[in-house]
Amino acid sequence: MPVLDVQNLSVAYRTAKGRVHAVDRVSFRLEAGESLGLVGESGSGKTTIGKAILQLLPPDTIGPDSRIIFEGTDLLRLNADQMRAMRGRKIGLIPQSAMNALDPVVRVGSLIGEAMTMHGISASRRAADPRIEELFKTVGLDPERRKHYPHMYSGGMRQRATIAMAFALEPTFLIADEPTTGLDVIVQDQVLRELAKLVRERGTTFLIITHDVGVVAEHCRTVAVMYAGRLVEIGPTSDVLVDPAHPYTMGLYNGFLGLRGEFRDLVSIPGSPPSQSQLDPGCPFAARCPFAEAVCRKEVPALTEVAPGHRSACHFRDRAPAMRERSRKPETWGAMA
């Protein structure tokens, strides 16, 4: 039985223009100890999926046919108290903004100790102190820093503190939402390596939400590619990034430095993702895709297997090798600008 089984997840918000789908019929599953990278441009629905799993969305936004099965329990059927007991203790979160996750008037160590006491990990705040010291050392912080307030930390230190807080409750499943936003590349690498080490050592099931293909390539066994609220490609990271079968994934790959150490020109995808309130019929990527044909603008392609465990939502996935070759050339995308 998978640790997490997301089935037909749809999320729609009420707006002045009517209900707008931020996530449209997304399904995936995570086995115990598996790491999944949810990748895509801003506005693709990645963070909304994380919030849906944690039940942090406004009422009536999740579709009636959606299911989020965690360790055999449908989270969407739990009441507020039952879900509150799940958060932190069973499902941990490393948020995008570390400063917003830390109380500015409470010492960081006290905040972690309070969470441990509330969830029954420790009998008292004092009893939690040795564990907090150990966690600080593990994430590369001086244990004495636990006595300081968040504003006395640098950005990288705050991010490490949120990682320590997440692991303090020993969750079986961890969601990291853009965990290194705003950090310089050196600190990003350090924080991600420490996070990956903790996940690996504890056998934690891990979902990382990011726009950075390089992060997924280095730290995730499986990758799911989101576009305009839909899942367009999913499979083993080594297959999806090396042999992508959807033009959008090809474009993402071409916009990053070589993942295998090769030197190549970077090629960007022209244009911007469509507004969720103004999606045209058919494939949501058709307007930016250099390989789109008439059928792409009329029919939504099904997410279909192209190799064992590897699925793509493209009408022309059988032409993937030729499309990959053409997608590496700037002139292929230049025609769309």
Side-chain angles (χ1 to χ4, degrees):
M1 181 177 68
V3 169
L4 180 72
D5 188 3
V6 176
Q7 303 172 9
N8 201 40
L9 177 62
S10 293
V11 179
Y13 298 106
R14 295 184 186 276
T15 72
K17 298 180 180 180
R19 291 182 68 84
V20 175
H21 275 84
V23 175
D24 190 6
R25 292 164 293 177
V26 168
S27 299
F28 62 89
R29 56 170 51 190
L30 274 166
E31 303 296 335
E34 186 178 0
S35 54
L36 170 68
L38 204 55
V39 67
E41 291 171 281
S42 296
S44 62
K46 308 184 301 297
T47 293
T48 298
I49 290 175
K51 288 183 176 180
I53 294 170
L54 288 159
Q55 292 296 282
L56 296 176
L57 295 174
D60 303 322
T61 56
I62 298 181
D65 298 328
S66 302
R67 298 289 181 270
I68 302 176
I69 313 297
F70 174 71
E71 295 184 344
T73 299
D74 190 347
L75 300 180
L76 301 181
R77 303 298 177 262
L78 299 183
N79 61 38
D81 289 337
Q82 290 171 324
M83 193 63 219
R84 192 176 297 112
M86 281 279 192
R87 294 191 201 104
R89 184 67 185 90
K90 287 286 188 176
I91 306 174
L93 172 67
I94 300 173
Q96 187 171 129
S97 175
M99 194 62 185
N100 292 341
L102 301 171
D103 192 324
V105 298
V106 178
R107 290 180 174 87
V108 175
S110 297
L111 187 63
I112 297 175
E114 179 183 354
M116 293 173 68
T117 303
M118 288 180 60
H119 285 274
I121 301 294
S122 180
S124 67
R125 166 66 184 86
R126 184 180 296 275
D129 211 42
R131 170 67 173 153
I132 297 170
E133 287 190 38
E134 178 189 343
L135 283 167
F136 269 51
K137 291 178 182 177
T138 301
V139 298
L141 288 174
D142 182 345
E144 286 300 307
R145 282 285 190 174
R146 73 192 190 282
K147 303 174 184 177
H148 294 176
Y149 293 95
H151 71 271
M152 301 168 72
Y153 284 36
S154 67
M157 291 167 67
R158 284 195 292 266
Q159 200 63 61
R160 287 182 170 91
T162 59
I163 293 172
M165 184 183 299
F167 280 98
L169 302 183
E170 302 171 354
T172 55
F173 174 51
L174 180 64
I175 300 172
D177 185 2
E178 298 281 8
T180 56
T181 297
L183 304 180
D184 66 68
V185 291
I186 302 299
V187 177
Q188 280 186 33
D189 183 65
Q190 293 170 351
V191 168
L192 286 169
R193 288 182 183 277
E194 288 159 1
L195 176 57
K197 181 182 177 183
L198 282 167
V199 167
R200 189 169 54 250
E201 290 176 348
R202 287 161 171 76
T204 308
T205 306
F206 183 47
L207 171 65
I208 185 168
I209 297 168
T210 182
H211 62 274
D212 193 330
V213 172
V215 168
V216 172
E218 187 171 359
H219 299 290
C220 298
R221 192 174 76 186
T222 307
V223 60
V225 182
M226 294 286 298
Y227 187 79
R230 296 174 184 171
L231 189 59
V232 297
E233 189 159 10
I234 186 171
T237 302
S238 56
D239 293 348
V240 172
L241 296 186
V242 174
D243 296 314
H246 193 284
Y248 180 59
T249 312
M250 297 174 196
L252 287 180
Y253 178 87
N254 291 336
F256 285 82
L257 295 173
L259 300 177
R260 293 176 291 183
E262 73 273 25
F263 291 96
R264 56 184 175 81
D265 293 332
L266 301 185
V267 182
S268 62
I269 304 173
S272 302
S275 167
Q276 299 293 81
S277 63
Q278 297 176 328
L279 283 179
D280 295 325
C283 174
F285 189 59
R288 302 173 73 192
C289 180
F291 312 113
E293 298 184 12
V295 66
C296 303
R297 298 177 178 85
K298 296 178 181 178
E299 299 178 16
V300 178
L303 196 62
T304 305
E305 190 167 76
V306 296
H310 182 181
R311 293 178 291 155
S312 170
C314 178
H315 288 299
F316 305 115
R317 50 192 167 270
D318 57 324
R319 306 180 191 173
M323 288 193 296
R324 283 195 294 269
E325 186 64 31
R326 288 178 58 194
S327 74
R328 299 186 183 103
K329 301 175 181 178
E331 57 266 28
T332 298
W333 301 91
M336 303 299 297

